[in-house]
Amino acid sequence: MSFRHFIDTQDFSKNELMEMIELTRVIKQADKAGYSPKLLKDASLAMIFEEPSTRTRVSFEVAMTELGGHALYLKPGEIHLGVRETIYDTVKVLSRMCDVIEARTLKHETVTELARHAEVPVINGLTDYNHPTQVVCDVFTMMEHMPVGKKLEDLRVTFIGDATNVLSSLMLICTRMGMHFTHAAPKKYQPPAEWIEWAKANCAESGGSLTITDDPVEAVREADYIYTDLWWWVGQEDQIPERRAAFMPKFQVNLELFNKAPAHCQFMHCLPASRGVEATDDVLDHPRSIIFDQSENRLHTEKGLLVYFVYPRLKYASEENIADHKTKIEAALSKLPK
Ligand code: CP
């Protein structure tokens, strides 16, 4: 049976991404009404993590449980991936035992290699290049918090800060969906030319727009959402003084900058946040901050994505088949020593 991986939102059309979001919306609605459909009954998810995680790990694990399946947390050092065993061998084995694989890998090439050899869908849970599950969640969250009188294609999203893996994915999904995306950062921390080319190509097709600037005040003037992320990540500790000097104070999302945006503008952050660094407490905890709705939506989005990629592949025995196997199993059991 054919199947697809979820490595990059660029591999999917606007319509397909909307289908994932619609699935997320109806499953969340059911969940809020107290109905948790067991759409992935008895299915297993292997979760490979080469880096720590709170939201991605918990949301995928809870999503599988609530959908009637099971998740295995395979943390660094617990499996042989790439050490004592090739990625190829590991992924072939996981494919025989699990219905889907989620992987957070240090290098993007690792997740693409997993996907190349997997016989079940692979879902990218963040790499050094992108974070596709996060940004499907982000677009869903923006749609839930749509400013009055606007539609998706009207939305103006401003990302302030480093060209992180979240920035790359957010820029690409927003432009693919026909939204208007602005990135404000010091020139040195703006996205590479290749990402800009891809985003511009998305705009040409979708009617969206892309602006890259080093002026955060201008960038927020018409923003419906201001979004930021960490200024440094694991492995960049030696760059902290240089990065802090480049971003602070001009690119910090503080109340002064937030107040330059329209009065309806909402604040987003993928979390974890360094409070007082890329954003201040008064913005993170502002009445128009939607960071915890956004976080909660990781759970609902993982459900939508898992169902989208796994549900069509699951096979369950017919009543007739079950009865036949029950008879055979009972016969085998009756021969066991008493
Ligand atoms: N936003 C996000 O991916 O959070 P975690 O690193 O906690 O998974």
Side-chain angles (χ1 to χ4, degrees), residues 28-56:
K28 177 176 179 178
Q29 216 170 41
D31 180 69
K32 293 292 175 188
Y35 168 51
S36 190
K38 305 301 175 212
L39 296 168
L40 300 187
K41 186 174 165 298
D42 297 335
S44 289
L45 163 70
M47 304 193 300
I48 298 171
F49 279 89
E50 290 188 333
E51 278 193 329
S53 163
T54 301
R55 281 141 290 270
T56 308

Side-chain angles (χ1 to χ4, degrees), residues 49 51-59 104 125-126 131 133-134 166 227 229 233 269-272 295 298:
F49 279 89
E51 278 193 329
S53 163
T54 301
R55 281 141 290 270
T56 308
R57 186 254 164 114
V58 176
S59 60
R104 169 170 290 196
L126 182 139
H131 199 356
T133 62
Q134 175 70 55
V166 172
Y227 195 126
D229 189 7
W233 186 240
H269 193 308
C270 52
L271 305 180
S295 247
R298 288 298 304 277

